[in-house]
Amino acid sequence: MRGINRNNFISGDFLKVAFLSIFAVAFIDRLIFLFQPMRYDEAFSFLMFSSNSLPAVLTDYSYPNNHIFHTLLVHMVSKLWGGYPWVIRLPALIAGMLIIPVNYLFMREVYDRFSALLSSGLIASSSIFIEYSTNSRGYTLFVLFSLAIFYYINYVVNHYETKGWIFFVLSSALGFYTMPIMLYPISVAVVWFLFLLKSNVKEEQKGILAVQLVFSLVAIFVLISILYLPVIIKSGFNSLAGNRFVAPEPFSLFLKDFFVLLGRLWRQWNRDIPSLLVIGLNAIFFISLIASKTLRHKHLRVILPALSGSLLVLVIVRRVGPARCWLYLLPLYLGMLSSSLIWFTGKVLNITSKASRIFIFSLLTIVLTMTLGYRSITSNSIVYSEETGSLRSAENIVLKLKEILKEGDWVVSFCPSDFIIGYYFYLYGLSPSYLQPLPRNISPDAEMLNKVYIILKHNQDLKTMLRKYRKPFFLQNARLFLKYEDADVYVYDNSNKL
């Protein structure tokens, strides 16, 4: 056997080992949660859209839960392998894994390969990215396409290659086809381009690049129009731009929600990272802004487009949205922290040789990735997350109901339990007729009524829920039947044979 070249291993292969290590950590951490109980948003999206016919997938935008490109992918894999939780989460999982190498390419373009490696490790071990990589929604696709357009907008300016514009257009269109809020990262990319055009481009190239950007934006608009044409024909343009989830808020409420959002973003982005580490990383970031002219320039090249592009669209649409809609900014935050830590470590340890830099920074990445990844999977933040609604005991409840349900029985549940219970009815072949809403004027003596099983989360009160959802109030006489970790099942027996 040929001997191993030690210098070659340290200088080249160790970087590969580090990247493969963080990729393995990312996969293992996500695999652990791939089979977790179904959540509300993904159950709703599957039952309302993905499980339907292909024409319905492509035309029904009655709710923005239909992240159409993601829904299409879920529709395809569920037709192939069934509607099991792990199957319908495959598109989100694959996109969540692809975020890591695309982030590496992007951060290497903006900073350097060590910052790219470390920021990819932080994404691999991020609690919130692990959660959304195992949640059948379009958010990881949204982040993936956002990073892709950020990468390609930097790429075309630095390398002047036309193929970069092609991928920029395709990534933008598919991202928008996944979620219309792709408007935010596209705006960031355009502002980023203008910043780069002013500072990084020769005078004779500026006009050419500007024309290419205009043509690319027109191409994006045309592609998006074609992709959304079935929706516009069937559901109307207002279903996209005028639904109640995107309608502008009164300015006072908008400002209040904006400041609330900032707190939510801080908590979400730093979830399961030790507080001292968060403080230390952000302190190092601010030190790098002051002490390093080179790094300050790179940081501002990230911060200014991200803030101005995002705020521009935010002020126009005047709708804040949930924190998960801003996940496209998290890789930028982690990238700035990573580059600052790499710079600070190099200064403190006085690392000068190339081999030493590769070894130390790769080792730092591996240690941080494994440590934070372990914290993410052991902290219960993902298991008990209510980001998109949960009912962890839903499968056990449905399996029990499957044994005892008879003709004339009804099952009543409330948000977020209703669609989760409905999903497990679908999965185990139970008739959805048991879940039909009770008629509001139904009498407790009605012959059609046998037993009514009422499912409540532990934070829900029976009388309050019956009043809120206008259910027959005689059901308040139901008795506790089954008790679970996070839910109770009550039963009203019309024959009084409890």
Side-chain angles (χ1 to χ4, degrees), residues 198 258-259 337 346 363 425:
K198 183 179 179 181
F258 175 73
F259 287 111
L337 294 185
L363 187 62
F425 265 61

Side-chain angles (χ1 to χ4, degrees), residues 37-53:
M38 188 59 56
R39 296 182 179 275
Y40 174 80
D41 276 8
E42 54 183 347
F44 181 97
S45 300
F46 181 76
L47 293 177
M48 289 289 290
F49 304 110
S50 304
S51 62
N52 292 333
S53 65

